[in-house]
Amino acid sequence: MFIYDFKTKVQILEGWSDDKKYCVTTENDKKYLLRISKIEQKERKSVEFEFMKCVEALGVPMCNPITFGTCDEGVYCLQSWIEGKNFEEVIIMLTDKDQYDYGVQAGQILKKIHTIKIPDTHEKWEIQFNRKIERKIQMYKECPIKYENGQFFIDYINKNRYLLNSRPQCYQHGDYHVGNMMIDNYGNLQIIDFDRADFGDPWQEFDRIVWSAQKSPLFASGMVNGYFDENVPMDFWKLLALYISNNTISSISWAMQFGKNEINNMINQAKEVLQWYDNMQNPVPTWYKGCIL
């Protein structure tokens, strides 16, 4: 299918991606999702497309990759279209049981995604992530805005770095939370936006659970339980607290480019995270509801 053959092309403005996104329609009124990226990203986007096909082969509910190529605007990826609603908007209207059950589904789907392996030649995880920690701590120290009690995050990271040693790596969605999910017209959970896909520790993938827990602690609890078949190891909680701490200290520097509202959002989020973890003294967050029948 040639991307200039579409009858309609409507831009989608939601989301943080640098890609240009469109809902396109063919002459026979079939809809597709069209993503266009800068030509400089051709190699990365080609790899992204191939791994999306691997995810599709696992039966993951998603925008299925159809074709990839170059065009006048850069590189494009054509994907199937999902009719439905953003899960982030729907979740607050669901019953407690449905929130939890969808969380279990999300955890089971993520576990399936994490079965996609990467070459053993990849740099050891502890080397990669310790380098990232150093960079983010330095960014935080140089940032003119600091969190109240922000040192708790840094102290926790430094105390628990040893947990990074010998961690396995796999393919990651890269931004797995309620904002990148949909409920289709049949009530099925769908996973979208694989454009931040990466490789790393499978447990690190949970560092975006902050956004899910803020929307629905029941969903977040279900997601953890679904992933671990209701047998969550304590080392997971300890490592997750490290990953969330690392994300949090870098978020304030990131927010500064977007203005006061985003800065305040990150300051409030940091306060909430510290409350969840009792100033990083308890690795199991207060939003976790345990196993719900």
Side-chain angles (χ1 to χ4, degrees):
M1 182 180 298
F2 192 55
I3 70 164
Y4 298 109
D5 290 341
F6 298 116
K7 183 171 68 174
T8 62
K9 181 179 174 183
V10 179
Q11 188 166 8
I12 301 167
L13 299 176
E14 292 89 350
W16 293 88
S17 173
D18 291 333
D19 292 350
K20 291 181 180 179
K21 298 181 289 186
Y22 302 91
C23 174
V24 295
T25 309
T26 62
E27 289 296 332
N28 62 355
D29 293 325
K30 188 169 179 61
K31 290 182 179 179
Y32 294 91
L33 173 65
L34 175 66
R35 303 184 71 118
I36 299 179
S37 313
K38 295 177 181 178
I39 193 65
E40 302 86 63
Q41 295 183 319
K42 182 179 179 180
E43 184 175 349
R44 187 176 75 83
K45 290 294 180 179
S46 175
V47 172
E48 178 185 309
F49 181 79
E50 293 303 317
F51 271 99
M52 281 184 69
K53 290 200 292 186
C54 294
V55 177
E56 178 190 20
L58 294 172
V60 169
M62 61 187 290
C63 292
N64 296 320
I66 296 171
T67 186
F68 173 85
T70 59
C71 60
D72 291 345
E73 298 176 63
V75 292
Y76 69 86
C77 176
L78 191 68
Q79 303 173 20
S80 61
W81 180 261
I82 298 170
E83 290 288 356
K85 297 179 180 178
N86 292 335
F87 188 51
E88 195 171 17
E89 299 170 4
V90 173
I91 193 169
I92 57 175
M93 297 182 285
L94 299 175
T95 65
D96 287 356
K97 183 179 186 305
D98 284 345
Q99 290 179 44
Y100 180 80
D101 288 347
Y102 275 122
V104 171
Q105 288 181 40
Q108 292 169 341
I109 291 169
L110 185 60
K111 189 174 183 178
K112 190 178 291 187
I113 291 172
H114 287 169
T115 63
I116 300 175
K117 305 300 182 184
I118 61 173
D120 292 336
T121 55
H122 215 63
E123 186 179 34
K124 287 184 177 179
W125 179 244
E126 59 265 33
I127 296 174
Q128 291 182 61
F129 205 82
N130 272 304
R131 189 164 59 237
K132 184 177 289 187
I133 286 172
E134 295 299 338
R135 185 175 73 252
K136 291 194 173 185
I137 289 177
Q138 189 60 35
M139 285 170 58
Y140 180 75
K141 289 180 177 179
E142 293 173 358
C143 184
I145 300 175
K146 301 288 191 296
Y147 297 130
E148 183 180 358
N149 296 322
Q151 187 62 35
F152 286 130
F153 294 120
I154 296 174
D155 291 345
Y156 183 87
I157 291 168
N158 287 329
K159 183 180 178 181
N160 291 279
R161 284 189 191 214
Y162 71 95
L163 294 167
L164 297 168
N165 295 337
S166 303
R167 286 297 302 157
Q169 296 186 67
C170 67
Y171 171 82
Q172 299 174 329
H173 172 278
D175 202 15
Y176 202 80
H177 59 84
V178 291
N180 285 326
M181 299 175 188
M182 292 181 66
I183 295 293
D184 67 22
N185 287 347
Y186 301 98
N188 300 313
L189 188 69
Q190 300 278 346
I191 311 303
I192 61 173
D193 287 347
F194 284 77
D195 61 297
R196 294 188 181 179
D198 204 350
F199 310 111
D201 177 2
W203 292 359
Q204 188 225 354
E205 184 92 273
F206 284 84
D207 63 3
R208 303 298 204 279
I209 205 169
V210 170
W211 285 272
S212 298
Q214 287 177 318
K215 283 286 183 180
S216 170
L218 285 167
F219 174 87
S221 299
M223 183 173 147
V224 173
N225 291 337
Y227 189 92
F228 288 104
D229 298 322
E230 299 188 353
N231 186 21
V232 189
M234 182 53 69
D235 275 357
F236 165 77
W237 291 119
K238 292 177 180 179
L239 256 179
L240 178 59
L242 182 150
Y243 290 136
I244 288 176
S245 294
N246 196 56
N247 263 8
T248 304
I249 61 170
S250 66
S251 294
I252 192 69
S253 300
W254 169 85
M256 289 189 68
Q257 62 186 310
F258 297 107
K260 188 174 181 180
N261 285 343
E262 205 58 49
I263 290 171
N264 289 337
N265 285 341
M266 292 303 104
I267 289 173
N268 291 332
Q269 186 178 89
K271 287 180 181 177
E272 190 168 16
V273 170
L274 287 173
Q275 289 172 357
W276 287 342
Y277 288 102
D278 189 21
N279 288 331
M280 307 316 299
Q281 299 303 304
N282 185 352
V284 181
T286 56
W287 55 254
Y288 179 62
K289 303 301 181 184
C291 299
I292 301 171
L293 298 178

